Amino acid sequence: MRKVILYIAMSLDGYIADINGNVEWLDGYDNEDSYSKFVKDIDTVIMGNKTYRQIVTELSPNEWIYKDFTSYVITHDIACQYENVVFYSGSPCTLIRDIIESEGKNIWICGGADIVRQLMSDGLIDIFHISIIPVILGGGVRLFADIDKKIKLKLLKEKVCNEIIEIIYERLK
């Protein structure tokens, strides 16, 4: 069965974006080996509109970097710029439930924090693959803000590479 995987980087103090919503603090921290291994087992990427806009305006304005996957952008602003990008205005939980019923590889939750919160509340994230970047931001977009229940996890793997601590947890059912 397909797994739903949160694969994301956060600062040591738990933020995925700074106080202005930017991620340039990630520059200089390369975890390409981990990413290359991870994407071999996925075929679907899910993200919110802020993450999508950040990719197409700042991170990769000239090319859709996830062209090898089917990408879903959860938004009420429907404006497709790239092939294999589906704009979805419904609940992320409904979308995930529909996708996991179909054949395919694993599903990557790319961001943002509100989508993560909703999926966690419904018990829909199976694996938490988090890269902790050695930066303290002191404020911004917190990854695990306003989670409404306790979620128990089992450590599957930990690794240190290029000053990044990578941890992989599985949600206990």
Side-chain angles (χ1 to χ4, degrees), residues 31-101:
N31 209 359
E32 186 61 38
D33 183 50
S34 172
Y35 177 80
S36 297
K37 288 177 185 174
F38 170 72
V39 296
K40 288 179 183 176
D41 293 325
I42 67 155
D43 63 4
T44 305
V45 180
I46 300 196
M47 68 189 71
N49 191 45
K50 287 180 190 171
T51 302
Y52 172 77
R53 295 283 173 217
Q54 192 165 55
I55 292 168
V56 299
T57 60
E58 297 172 37
L59 303 176
S60 183
N62 299 318
E63 175 187 20
W64 182 241
I65 55 176
Y66 302 129
K67 62 181 175 266
D68 295 333
F69 314 112
T70 300
S71 300
Y72 291 88
V73 179
I74 299 172
T75 182
H76 296 291
D77 178 22
I78 311 295
C80 191
Q81 237 179 291
Y82 300 99
E83 266 186 66
N84 294 335
V85 178
V86 177
F87 287 80
Y88 180 84
S89 62
S91 159
C93 298
T94 301
L95 176 62
I96 290 292
R97 286 187 187 98
D98 289 344
I99 294 172
I100 60 175
E101 295 300 319

Side-chain angles (χ1 to χ4, degrees), residues 1-168:
M1 188 167 154
R2 300 174 88 169
K3 298 260 187 209
V4 178
I5 303 171
L6 172 63
Y7 180 88
I8 201 163
M10 72 177 189
S11 65
L12 179 61
D13 53 347
Y15 296 98
I16 58 173
D18 68 19
I19 200 154
N20 297 313
N22 298 319
V23 295
E24 73 273 346
W25 54 273
L26 290 168
D27 291 347
Y29 293 101
D30 182 18
N31 209 359
E32 186 61 38
D33 183 50
S34 172
Y35 177 80
S36 297
K37 288 177 185 174
F38 170 72
V39 296
K40 288 179 183 176
D41 293 325
I42 67 155
D43 63 4
T44 305
V45 180
I46 300 196
M47 68 189 71
N49 191 45
K50 287 180 190 171
T51 302
Y52 172 77
R53 295 283 173 217
Q54 192 165 55
I55 292 168
V56 299
T57 60
E58 297 172 37
L59 303 176
S60 183
N62 299 318
E63 175 187 20
W64 182 241
I65 55 176
Y66 302 129
K67 62 181 175 266
D68 295 333
F69 314 112
T70 300
S71 300
Y72 291 88
V73 179
I74 299 172
T75 182
H76 296 291
D77 178 22
I78 311 295
C80 191
Q81 237 179 291
Y82 300 99
E83 266 186 66
N84 294 335
V85 178
V86 177
F87 287 80
Y88 180 84
S89 62
S91 159
C93 298
T94 301
L95 176 62
I96 290 292
R97 286 187 187 98
D98 289 344
I99 294 172
I100 60 175
E101 295 300 319
S102 63
E103 289 290 318
K105 295 180 179 182
N106 293 329
I107 302 160
W108 173 15
I109 307 304
C110 180
D114 186 52
I115 291 169
V116 170
R117 182 190 50 76
Q118 291 177 60
L119 295 175
M120 287 176 67
S121 289
D122 276 19
L124 292 172
I125 297 178
D126 301 304
I127 305 290
F128 295 80
H129 189 145
I130 300 170
S131 295
I132 301 171
I133 309 301
V135 172
I136 296 174
L137 296 177
V141 179
R142 189 170 292 283
L143 178 56
F144 298 122
D146 302 321
I147 303 300
D148 61 0
K149 65 180 183 178
K150 178 170 48 174
I151 300 170
K152 292 190 176 189
L153 306 171
K154 175 185 176 188
L155 182 64
L156 298 179
K157 182 179 177 183
E158 78 284 337
K159 179 176 140 183
V160 178
C161 182
N162 298 329
E163 298 184 16
I164 299 169
I165 299 172
E166 188 174 75
I167 51 176
I168 304 172

